[in-house]
């Protein structure tokens, strides 16, 4: 049966949708086909405006805001026994540069909606519940992603990325310090579990960002785990030369060597089962002039696989494959992100499956192709995720869409799971 039926019934899909659309106005962009999207990088004025909006909604229902040293934002619902470890639930508010209106932000607003429904229904929980918005999940402006959750979980030292710069040369450490100063009025909390007790559990609601739930006519994804991801930065250094005079035979052309490298990597990453994911999508060329041979090229690699052995074997072969393929340039390869495949805890996976079943929703157990902050909670506490369908499986694109009804179903499942885990 439904745990906390009144709380589930108190979930207000329209209120959740209206809040989503208010957030979508902060960094609104229009996609190629006119679709409304969002460009709201982390640690920028629009991100701060979105955080103030969230805090306002939270304080209006009695939640207490706090921020830690990485800028992770928390809204706390005390619970009957405030000294108990909290159930943590949330996602991220930053978006891709050409992102959608739902990736990340829905999980934060679903957490707010679920907690508000619990409070309005008078559903008491022994454990506190803390809503969290993690800093820089996307890794768009500053690579890698998941900086806030990795620091919170002690997976990386809090100053690991201070020197990372964005496209304008701004250092992550400086952007973070600026944000912390501008949010000095928000109470501080120590970072992560080092000073504080581990969370009791973690649940993240997120859009699927893939085609499975829609294709099978399902309402809810009971997420079983997340595949592994590895990010690399490759820098090739050749020599700039005159496009009209330099003989091809003597050039040290960084673009030509990049083509050789990517061609060789495509062979390394061949997978007839189409499970493996390999993406080169960010390329910087210098001097970037049509009649000066390219001196340097920097390109990113995003490599993913659900099997740790494959992630290791092929990931570890990336650098040597590039070095063998390149003819004239110096090569530098740095690994910037390494997240192992994560399995979610049966306790949380079953709670999500039970809630979907009790609410008569069509659900299936499935892995996540996208990485999430939940990945880094797995070593700390029982963790899991709730998916709702994405139209045409599109995400990281303004055309990303989930309907108010689908999102309300997700929030109702989350409300029941939170009521059960925090009981
Ligand atoms: O790239 C990812 O998987 C995440 O959605 N940022
Ligand atoms: Mn996301
Ligand atoms: Mn994303
Ligand atoms: Mn995430």
């Amino acid at each position: 049966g439904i745990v906390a039926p009144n709380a589930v019934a108190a979930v207000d899909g329209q209120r959740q949708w209206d809040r989503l659309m208010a957030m979508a106005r902060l960094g609104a962009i229009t996609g190629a086909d006119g679709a409304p999207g969002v460009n709201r990088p982390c640690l920028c004025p629009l991100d701060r405006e979105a955080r103030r909006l969230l805090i306002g909604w939270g304080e209006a229902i009695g939640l207490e805001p706090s921020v830690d040293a990485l800028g992770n934002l928390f809204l706390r619902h005390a619970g009957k026994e405030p000294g108990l470890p909290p159930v943590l639930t949330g996602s991220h508010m930053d978006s891709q540069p050409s992102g959608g209106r739902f990736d990340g932000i829905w999980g934060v607003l679903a957490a707010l909606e679920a907690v508000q429904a619990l409070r309005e229904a008078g559903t008491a929980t022994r454990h506190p519940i803390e809503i969290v918005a993690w800093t820089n999940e996307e890794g768009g402006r500053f690579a890698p992603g998941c900086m806030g959750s990795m620091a919170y979980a002690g997976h990386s030292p809090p100053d690991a990325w201070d020197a990372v710069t964005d496209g304008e040369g701004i250092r992550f450490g400086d952007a973070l310090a600026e944000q912390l100063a501008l949010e000095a009025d928000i109470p501080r909390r120590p970072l992560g579990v080092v000073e504080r007790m581990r969370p009791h559990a973690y649940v993240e609601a997120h859009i699927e960002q893939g085609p499975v739930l829609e294709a099978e006519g399902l309402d809810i994804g009971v997420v079983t785990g997340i595949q592994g991801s590895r990010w690399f930065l490759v820098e090739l250094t050749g020599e700039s030369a005159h496009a009209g005079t330099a003989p091809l035979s003597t050039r040290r052309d960084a673009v030509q060597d990049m083509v050789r490298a990517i061609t060789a990597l495509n062979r390394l990453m061949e997978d007839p089962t189409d499970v493996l994911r390999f993406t080169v999508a960010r390329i910087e060329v210098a001097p970037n002039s049509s009649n000066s041979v390219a001196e340097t090229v920097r390109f990113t690699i995003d490599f993913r696989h659900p099997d740790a052995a494959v992630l290791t074997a092929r990931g570890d072969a990336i650098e040597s494959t590039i070095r063998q393929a390149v003819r004239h340039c110096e090569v530098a390869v740095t690994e910037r992100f390494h997240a192992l495949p994560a399995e979610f805890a049966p306790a949380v996976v079953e709670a999500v499956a039970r809630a979907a079943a009790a609410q008569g929703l069509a659900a299936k157990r499935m892995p996540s192709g996208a990485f999430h902050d939940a990945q880094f909670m797995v070593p700390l506490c029982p963790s899991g995720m709730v998916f709702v369908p994405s139209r045409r499986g599109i995400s990281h694109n303004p055309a990303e869409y989930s309907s108010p009804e689908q999102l309300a179903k997700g929030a109702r499942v989350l409300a029941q799971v939170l009521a059960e885990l925090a009981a």
Side-chain angles (χ1 to χ4, degrees), residues 96 103 137-138 206 209 231 302 304 369-372 396:
Q96 284 284 315
D103 176 1
E137 186 275 347
E138 291 289 0
H206 205 288
Q209 301 180 293
W231 280 12
D302 178 322
R304 309 194 192 191
F371 64 68
H372 297 285
H396 285 193

Side-chain angles (χ1 to χ4, degrees), residues 79-103:
K80 283 190 309 194
E81 299 176 41
L84 289 179
V87 172
L88 218 46
T89 178
S91 190
H92 60 95
M93 299 176 76
D94 62 310
S95 80
Q96 284 284 315
S98 179
R101 297 174 290 169
F102 307 94
D103 176 1

Side-chain angles (χ1 to χ4, degrees), residues 19 54 57-58 61 63 75 108-117 131:
R19 286 174 173 161
L54 178 74
W57 290 329
I61 62 168
L63 305 184
L75 289 170
V108 176
L109 294 179
L112 176 63
E113 183 54 42
V115 169
Q116 182 159 0
I131 296 165

